[in-house]
Amino acid sequence: MINGSSRSSSSSGAEEQPASTPRPKQSQAHEYLKPNIDGIIDVASPDDVMGKNAVTRTTNSIARLVDTLFRYRDLLADNYEEKSKQGIRDWLTRNSRSRMTKKLVDHLFSLFSQFQRLTPVKSKAGSSRNEKNKADSSRNKKNKAAANAALMNERQMYEPTKAFVSFISECVSLQNKLKTQPKRLIQPFEKTNVCPKDSEHDWRVDVALKCASLKDTSLSRSVPRNSAVKEPAELEDRPELADTLAFIELKRHEKEMADAYAQLFRYTKDIYMAQHDRRFIWGMVMCDTTVQACIFGPNYAAASKDMRLTTGTGRKNFIRLFVNWSFCDSSKLGYDPTISYDYKLQCLMIQAVSSDNKETKVFYSREVVICAERMFGRHTRCFKATADRPSPPDENDPRKPHQQMNCSIFIKDAWTEALENADEDGREEAKYLEKITDRLKDVTSVKGMYPELYEDCASGRVRFADPVSGRSHEDNSKTVLGDDVWRQLDKNTVLRAHKRIYTRGIGKPIKHIKSVPEFIIVAADIMRCHWEIVKRCDILHRDISVNNMLVRRNSNSEARGMLIDFDHSISINDKNDPTHAERTGTLQFMSISNLDKSELKPTALDDWESMLYILCWIGTFGWSSSTRANKTGDSGEPKQLDRWHMGTLKEIAKAKRADLHNKDHFQNIALEFNFGLENVDLLFNLVKELRNVLIDKYSGNLGGALKNEDMQLNTKTKKFEAVVLSDPFEERAAKWEELSESLLTVLEDFAQKARERLGK
């Protein structure tokens, strides 16, 4: 079963890391965060006027109540509790139609009393200097000392923080005289400092937030339970990643802010893995009484300005964020309104617009092939789906297996780099697939080796309809954050557009390959398909990697290859396309010219070089958990291939040049293969032959992989400098067509040998 989520009252493989997006280390996570951004709180503001007015009135009302209670508390009067409860009664009279009971008033006062432990009591001005108040001075000091009892560690911050969130939630639900009502309540999970139920790690989250339906709200659920009574495990309100809106990371001192962000980055990544409809994620850090709200997108992380809970303004901003979350549409919380979970059918429902834009289609899926598992990147998700509505499970026998879904549609959902104007963007995968589907439809030799565009649906950029105006807008980084917040981000932050592609043809990740010969056959199919696309469509893939290779099986269970993901493809003959110069791919599989960001026009040889790296990687590390060898050699030292993804881009390019330069250097790479794998000798001989064709087929300046350099005197600096006389990769590119055909011949010859080994 795919995890669903009850986020509102209306709720019904591995991803590749782009080379342009650095992966933050835990100790440096805060360095990737853009701080002090104005308007973060308003990213969640409702779009309609009535919703905005309701947020303003609700925020002001709750903030005034909190300020009143703080003022009574700071007076340090003996009748503080009585005055506070009367203040709550007055607020309920003005703002709520709910029946006022002693239990309700006591509950709200209890929540506030817990929260106020976080904030110090202010001294009563002049009380110690006024002679007639000397009698009260001693009592005031005692009250203040009790109220300001220091919190010894961050664990003692959990309950007060949770209490304030619950206080706001209860007030939002009780303020029911407004014409516009909230769509949900934001509540804390009861359990704190625990590992989420569905987490694969043992990380403990401080406080987790969830969305609750207004109908599900129960006063008794928010009242702290008696810790002496042990509840059954199934009744414990413990966080689940699938149902978590956001995490709050708490630290005792402001100097620990960097550590708080490091932990928040780590936890947030897990939410992306668990929630297949999450576009961006909210988070929060609280250090002492200073709070920052954070928003994490596919290529940005931004934090609000400080909200200090010791000040009225800080508390009001904190309250406004939670009220915004309560009134806004689910898209403002980071969810995708076109993807939902049907609890009755127990499957995902994915909405699509028909190709003529006249109707909405629905696809059903119970299998997520690839999920988003990185903090930053394209957040690619792939679903196997069908247009046929499945039958619900047998209510009389819930243990009976689901009806088998005949999935023939493959849905890819990703956030890719894009230009704001789609008509000017050459990186539209849907356009490339449309061309490939049309021109290869009669080429039977590669049938099923590429995704065929599903023409009944409109593939491309995702658009959301405004629930108020009915107009639609494109879903991208800028529209998510709004113009004001977007302008405050780093100028190098690129726009990413939310795109969805619907294709025919289903494959599985390469971890489902059963042997070395099968892998060689799959690789040969993929490069044959690659070559036909180059010749017939003038399209260069530019991102050959293990993540973009799928295996499918025919009626005889024979493994065949499938090439996917044309996000970074280019039109070979379009010399004006700015994407030609972009650096793309996975570090260990990127070509040397790509790593060097060469001005040379990309050719099919770049993709062949990537395939050579893949074959070496698979021979060394395997393709699944059952074939994976140790990441280090017999001596415990890292293997040579580790240099292909560690260090700077220049260092990686230099290492690859040295490894490919001659047979002896390359032999050291091949000798680190996992020779415990059956038939790995076939792969060993294949990579040597491919390297010979790619590097040594021509003599003269075309030999080797290292640049031909000479030392010359710079007359200005009076120093000798290395001058590149020739680059073998640049010179070899002139013969890319001839070399590509030779490489394909070698690979297909070995694929035939692989079939013979399998007895086919």
Side-chain angles (χ1 to χ4, degrees), residues 48 75 127 188 215 224 282 376 401 408 452 471 578 623 690 709 712 732 746:
D48 61 300
L75 290 174
S127 62
K215 296 179 181 178
W282 289 91
F376 298 115
S408 60
E452 297 180 37
R471 295 190 297 267
W623 61 86
L690 289 176
E709 298 180 336
Q712 294 185 5
R732 196 176 287 114
V746 170

Side-chain angles (χ1 to χ4, degrees), residues 6 32 458 565:
S6 55
Y32 294 84
D565 199 346

Side-chain angles (χ1 to χ4, degrees), residues 338 350-361 363 409 411-413 428-431 433-434 453-463 498-503:
T338 65
I350 304 171
Q351 296 178 16
V353 179
S354 62
S355 53
D356 57 7
N357 290 320
K358 291 183 178 180
E359 60 178 324
T360 299
K361 295 178 175 290
F363 293 99
I409 308 299
I411 302 175
K412 174 188 171 185
D413 189 276
E428 294 294 333
E429 183 179 14
K431 295 179 182 178
L433 288 178
E434 183 178 5
L453 204 63
Y454 185 69
E455 297 177 351
D456 290 346
C457 290
S459 292
R461 303 194 180 197
V462 175
R463 301 184 67 86
H498 185 190
K499 300 178 184 179
R500 192 171 294 158
I501 308 293
Y502 305 89
T503 59

Side-chain angles (χ1 to χ4, degrees), residues 678-721:
E678 187 176 0
N679 292 310
V680 77
D681 61 301
L682 196 63
L683 188 59
F684 178 81
N685 293 325
L686 170 60
V687 297
K688 290 196 298 182
E689 286 295 320
L690 289 176
R691 184 249 158 224
N692 291 344
V693 173
L694 183 64
I695 304 298
D696 291 341
K697 186 175 176 63
Y698 296 95
S699 58
N701 289 337
L702 289 176
L706 297 177
K707 295 178 180 179
N708 180 18
E709 298 180 336
D710 188 22
M711 299 300 293
Q712 294 185 5
L713 180 66
N714 187 319
T715 56
K716 293 183 178 180
T717 63
K718 305 299 182 182
K719 294 181 180 179
F720 282 95
E721 297 177 352

Side-chain angles (χ1 to χ4, degrees), residues 212-230:
S213 165
L214 293 172
K215 296 179 181 178
D216 294 338
T217 304
S218 170
L219 182 64
S220 60
R221 291 184 61 188
S222 300
V223 176
R225 296 185 174 95
N226 184 352
S227 59
V229 179
K230 184 173 178 59

Side-chain angles (χ1 to χ4, degrees), residues 472-487:
S472 65
H473 67 273
E474 183 183 299
D475 191 27
N476 61 46
S477 307
K478 188 175 180 180
T479 57
V480 165
L481 296 175
D483 292 343
D484 292 340
V485 173
W486 178 255
R487 281 193 292 267

